[in-house]
Amino acid sequence: MPTPSPARMHDFTVVENEPMAQGAMRLVIHAPALARALKPGQFVNVAVPGNAMSLLRVPLSFSFADAETGDVEIWYAVVGDGTRRLAMMRPGEASTVLGPGGNGWTVPEDARDIVLVAGGIGTPPIVSLAAAVRAASPDTRIRTIVGARSASALTGLTELRAVSDEVLVATDDGSAGHHGFATDLLPDLLAGADFCATCGPEPMMAAVARACDEADVFCEASVERMMSCGFGACATCAVETVNGMKGACMCGPIFDAKEVIW
């Protein structure tokens, strides 16, 4: 496992914390040193006040980090005690955050046609990647697929449309875009693609990995695990790979999709 961890402790202040979709929140925190250090695909571990019995931080990915303003934008699903308490934090309240954690995306330098696939609340790492690619390489073609259970659960469409050449939508119930899975739309986009990145439910990412393997397209996946400590000490975030078990917080969360045993 690589050492040392890039993560450092940072104080933060809540700037905004509001609902953005069904079951999802948009949090903006002010943490200047963290905003300057984060790279697309990395994560942060947030200490959420409100429960003295809870020792674990909440690991979250980010959608934007603005080095000039010092703000970091985080989208998260409200799914447990930690995120429920996080959703109750108000502007002006403060705590600490550990980051940046893990490794970011590694888009090949010669990639000129990339495909991005996001599912559910897996959009933040995809948004941060798309924005970075567009800023660094304006001529690169970016085509993005966003999937969710329903139209009300979709996140990131406005942000992704601003930096993508094409955004396709799929919903399980057919309330927006294609009626079906995000991966249904993938095969047509992979022809001619140089790189694919995906984040979302594991079955979706496994299907993306298989499709990319068949199309001979290099694919990276942002793998979700409970990264309790965030710096490789607790071994709660193990990912099974062809090279043995690896900790997501230090060796990931971005993995070569071919390496992961899905």
Side-chain angles (χ1 to χ4, degrees):
M1 182 170 288
T3 57
S5 167
R8 299 293 183 270
M9 195 73 73
H10 304 269
D11 295 326
F12 77 83
T13 303
V14 175
V15 178
E16 299 178 47
N17 196 17
E18 300 291 341
M20 65 176 298
Q22 186 179 46
M25 300 286 289
R26 172 181 174 271
L27 169 70
V28 180
I29 61 174
H30 186 66
L34 178 64
R36 292 191 296 269
L38 281 167
K39 297 177 182 178
Q42 292 183 306
F43 72 96
V44 298
N45 254 13
V46 180
V48 184
N51 183 355
M53 299 298 292
S54 179
L55 302 177
L56 300 181
R57 294 172 176 267
V58 177
L60 297 168
S61 54
F62 75 98
S63 50
F64 296 102
D66 192 323
E68 293 186 6
T69 66
D71 291 343
V72 178
E73 187 167 320
I74 297 166
W75 304 346
Y76 63 98
V78 182
V79 294
D81 175 66
T83 49
R84 281 193 292 268
R85 284 184 284 114
L86 182 59
M88 295 174 65
M89 292 190 75
R90 295 292 174 257
E93 294 185 347
S95 187
T96 62
V97 58
L98 185 72
N103 301 305
W105 304 101
T106 56
V107 182
E109 290 186 4
D110 59 351
R112 292 295 177 266
D113 188 332
I114 70 174
V115 175
L116 310 176
V117 187
I121 199 62
T123 48
I126 298 298
V127 169
S128 63
L129 172 60
V133 170
R134 178 58 71 224
S137 181
D139 294 332
T140 296
R141 181 162 71 158
I142 302 173
R143 292 172 294 164
T144 306
I145 304 171
V146 181
R149 295 185 308 275
S150 64
S152 62
L154 287 164
T155 60
L157 291 184
T158 299
E159 293 80 3
L160 286 165
R161 283 169 175 154
V163 293
S164 301
D165 294 280
E166 181 180 15
V167 175
L168 302 176
V169 173
T171 51
D172 294 349
D173 64 1
S175 54
H178 170 71
H179 186 178
F181 298 135
T183 48
D184 296 342
L185 305 173
L186 183 58
D188 290 343
L189 271 62
L190 289 178
D194 305 304
F195 173 74
C196 180
T198 184
C199 183
E202 199 148 302
M204 182 202 79
M205 292 195 293
V208 173
R210 287 192 297 270
C212 287
D213 191 28
E214 292 171 2
D216 196 25
V217 174
F218 174 48
C219 177
E220 288 188 325
S222 179
V223 178
E224 181 181 357
R225 291 293 186 273
M226 185 58 198
M227 296 175 279
S228 301
C229 72
F231 49 84
C234 68
T236 62
C237 62
V239 175
E240 188 177 7
T241 78
V242 295
N243 298 309
M245 302 299 287
K246 293 187 177 183
C249 72
M250 294 291 286
C251 300
I254 309 301
F255 287 89
D256 181 335
K258 273 185 154 181
E259 183 182 356
V260 179
I261 296 178
W262 300 100

